[in-house]
Amino acid sequence: MAQAYIYDHVRTPRGIGRPKGSLHEVSACELATQVLRALAERSSLDTALVDDVILGCAQPVGEQGGNIGRAAVVNAGYAQSVAGQQVHRFCASALEAINNAAGQIIAGASEAAIGGGVESMSRTYMGADSGAWVGDPWVAYKNYFTPQGIGADIIASLDGFSREDVDTYAVQSQQRAARAWEQGYFRDSVIPVRDILGKVLLDRDEYMRPETTVEGLGDLKASFADLGAKAGFDTVAMFKYPQIESMRHVHTAGNSSGIVDGSAGVLLGSEEFGNKIGRKPRARIVGFASIGSDPTIMLDGPAPCTRKLLKRLGMSMDDIDLVEINEAFASVVMHYMREMNLDPDKVNVNGGAIAMGHPLGATGAMITGTLVDELERRDLNTGLVTLCAGNGLATATIIERV
């Protein structure tokens, strides 16, 4: 059985996902195109060697729909023979794309593939593709549907996390991200996004607020309290979880993931592919797994998914040197660390989506690249990437340095 190796990765900076954001004028296809071009240029890559480009997208509608993977391949000037596809596992889409690419290589179906993702949140809207799990009342009823923010507050209510707890975690994310940028940790992996004239629009994550304090966050209004009370979602949550006496609405815009635009890609291939392009692999995909979890909370899947993967590989958390878990909400990461008995100094060491933002369909590839870089920087061996996803889903991947 072949091995799937990571040879390179790049990402765009994350632009504020509003019309005022620096990347608003750039379509999702163009964001992905610039990532694909950078991957090809950095390796002087004959793109005909790439069998497939798999891009995740969490809102695959409008200009982000219609198989944006193939559209970006053509737009980037890749060889006509390169296939393209789009995958959708909500926030875990890009990691799923990487896993699918690795699976093709391991199975011998492809010699090389790119896995990644893209999301232009300033040019679409959250929930554009919600479908039956939200829009069909009977399906939503059977799922005990609540929005993700309510799910995050359910976790806080069940685990006893206070407002100060989640705000403290958010400040730590901001501080770690600011330090990483100051130290140049993202310098080799973040490519500038340019307009049609070649002018640089953005070369640094735009969403960050390094001046954030716990006291300042404490002044923010809880984002989901009114929604929970007026729309009845608190009642749904407490009916599903009767042990909750009252909901702790602790999540705000300051301790939740930021709405941003961005794209990322990871170049994977077999050993033979590396020989052809004259590059040594940087890491190996050890294994991956996905899982379904409670659709009401919908955010607590990373722990059981990690356990599933570790068991399959005959490993334990003692074998994992660093962890990247998407910071969908502060309680998600805090719950995961508690469940897996993790040292916080091993988790999201360069900050996460609370500080830098969460371009839904791209984040999995972004944090995979961050993990590869940080393992190399610290001369460590093995890392794990995991994300929760909508409707009770999670995906996890383990990589090791080569």
Side-chain angles (χ1 to χ4, degrees):
M1 188 168 63
Q3 299 288 341
Y5 296 102
I6 294 174
Y7 286 92
D8 197 12
H9 68 87
V10 297
R11 73 169 176 91
T12 68
R14 298 164 169 103
I16 292 172
R18 306 290 185 191
K20 68 177 182 179
S22 296
L23 300 182
H24 176 63
E25 70 180 76
V26 185
S27 70
C29 184
E30 181 59 26
L31 288 174
T33 293
Q34 296 196 25
V35 164
L36 293 183
R37 286 178 180 156
L39 285 173
E41 291 168 2
R42 285 159 61 107
S43 295
S44 300
L45 181 64
D46 175 3
T47 59
L49 296 173
V50 178
D51 294 290
D52 206 356
V53 170
I54 309 170
L55 293 184
C57 185
Q59 306 288 322
V61 297
E63 65 182 27
Q64 296 193 161
N67 190 356
I68 197 169
R70 175 60 177 170
V73 163
V74 175
N75 200 44
Y78 272 41
Q80 181 175 289
S81 60
V82 181
Q85 62 173 295
Q86 180 171 294
V87 300
H88 182 4
R89 203 186 288 278
F90 296 105
C91 297
S93 295
L95 186 58
E96 193 66 40
I98 291 170
N99 294 344
N100 288 356
Q104 289 185 19
I105 294 162
I106 291 168
S110 293
E111 188 171 69
I114 293 171
V118 63
E119 205 81 36
S120 179
M121 300 181 75
S122 71
R123 295 168 69 98
T124 185
Y125 62 92
M126 193 88 72
D129 73 328
S130 295
W133 74 294
V134 175
D136 185 324
W138 182 238
V139 175
Y141 172 76
K142 290 193 290 185
N143 281 346
Y144 291 89
F145 169 75
T146 65
Q148 284 194 347
I150 300 294
D153 285 339
I154 293 174
I155 292 176
S157 301
L158 291 171
D159 284 12
F161 297 139
S162 68
R163 174 67 178 270
E164 185 176 2
D165 291 335
V166 292
D167 284 348
T168 298
Y169 179 83
V171 169
Q172 175 185 271
S173 180
Q174 294 282 355
Q175 292 172 343
R176 287 179 170 182
R179 184 181 67 248
W181 270 106
E182 289 168 3
Q183 296 298 319
Y185 292 169
F186 302 128
R187 180 179 57 247
D188 295 333
S189 60
V190 175
I191 61 167
V193 175
R194 300 178 183 273
D195 66 12
I196 59 174
L197 300 178
K199 177 185 175 182
V200 173
L201 296 173
L202 189 65
D203 60 4
R204 181 184 175 92
D205 291 326
E206 186 176 33
Y207 185 80
M208 294 177 1
R209 299 179 297 276
E211 72 284 355
T212 300
T213 64
V214 173
E215 293 73 23
L217 290 181
D219 293 334
L220 298 178
K221 180 182 178 182
S223 297
F224 309 104
D226 287 347
L227 183 67
K230 296 177 181 177
F233 291 119
D234 284 358
T235 301
V236 174
M238 290 187 287
F239 186 77
K240 180 74 176 287
Y241 292 96
Q243 65 269 43
I244 298 177
E245 295 183 1
S246 63
M247 286 285 290
R248 292 190 178 202
H249 288 292
V250 298
H251 287 93
T252 68
N255 55 42
S256 307
S257 57
I259 295 172
V260 294
D261 303 334
S263 182
V266 177
L267 176 63
L268 300 103
S270 64
E271 183 177 1
E272 291 75 14
F273 169 73
N275 293 334
K276 288 180 180 179
I277 66 172
R279 291 197 65 165
K280 294 182 179 180
R282 298 176 62 184
R284 178 177 73 92
I285 303 291
V286 179
F288 46 85
S290 292
I291 201 169
S293 63
D294 173 29
T296 304
I297 292 178
M298 82 175 80
L299 305 169
D300 62 350
C305 191
T306 297
R307 295 190 186 103
K308 175 182 178 179
L309 179 56
L310 291 171
K311 182 179 180 181
R312 177 180 295 167
L313 297 173
M315 300 173 68
S316 73
M317 286 306 295
D318 292 337
D319 300 312
I320 306 299
D321 297 312
L322 292 174
V323 172
E324 284 287 328
I325 174 173
N326 182 40
E327 293 177 353
F329 300 89
S331 67
V332 172
V333 184
M334 296 168 65
H335 173 79
Y336 181 79
M337 290 192 293
R338 175 179 290 182
E339 283 287 301
M340 304 308 298
N341 193 29
L342 283 172
D343 179 352
D345 289 336
K346 295 173 59 173
V347 179
N348 295 357
V349 296
N350 290 324
I354 290 173
M356 293 177 283
H358 173 28
L360 306 179
T363 302
M366 290 185 171
I367 62 178
T368 298
T370 297
L371 183 61
V372 171
D373 289 347
E374 195 61 25
L375 288 172
E376 291 176 344
R377 186 175 298 110
R378 297 184 179 217
D379 195 22
L380 298 173
N381 187 63
T382 307
L384 182 144
V385 185
T386 186
L387 301 92
C388 59
N391 206 6
L393 293 167
T395 299
T397 302
I398 291 176
I399 66 173
E400 68 176 13
R401 284 179 59 206
V402 176

